[in-house]
């Protein structure tokens, strides 16, 4: 599974908890949104992250 910025943005947009976590990362570590999104991906999605299945579902073709 690879990081796709547009997919990660969509996942965050659809999840209030991830929106809050993104803001925390940006504020706590003084990160730009793009860097915070990537950090959020690695902490909450990659590997066996809590939001891995939701992220993968966004990659499925609509049909």
């Amino acid at each position: 599974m690879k990081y796709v910025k547009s997919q990660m943005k969509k996942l965050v947009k659809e999840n209030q908890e991830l929106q809050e976590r993104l803001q925390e990362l940006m504020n706590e570590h003084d990160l730009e949104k793009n860097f915070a999104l990537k950090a959020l991906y690695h902490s909450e999605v990659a590997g066996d992250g809590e939001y891995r299945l939701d992220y993968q579902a966004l990659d499925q073709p609509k049909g």
Side-chain angles (χ1 to χ4, degrees):
M1 185 169 60
K2 66 179 182 172
Y3 173 77
V4 178
K5 184 173 148 183
S6 60
Q7 227 170 282
M8 193 61 194
K9 281 179 150 183
K10 186 171 184 176
L11 181 65
V12 169
K13 184 179 180 181
E14 295 174 356
N15 187 299
Q16 182 65 34
E17 189 174 318
L18 286 177
Q19 290 174 26
E20 292 169 8
R21 183 73 181 115
L22 180 65
Q23 285 301 315
E24 288 173 12
L25 281 171
M26 290 170 66
N27 294 334
E28 286 177 25
H29 302 286
D30 194 28
L31 293 173
E32 294 177 18
K33 187 174 183 176
N34 290 333
F35 293 119
L37 269 174
K38 201 164 206 176
L40 192 62
Y41 168 80
H42 287 290
S43 67
E44 303 293 338
V45 176
D48 286 334
E50 181 179 348
Y51 297 96
R52 178 177 53 89
L53 295 177
D54 295 335
Y55 182 83
Q56 287 176 328
L58 293 174
D59 196 25
Q60 302 301 318
K62 304 279 189 243

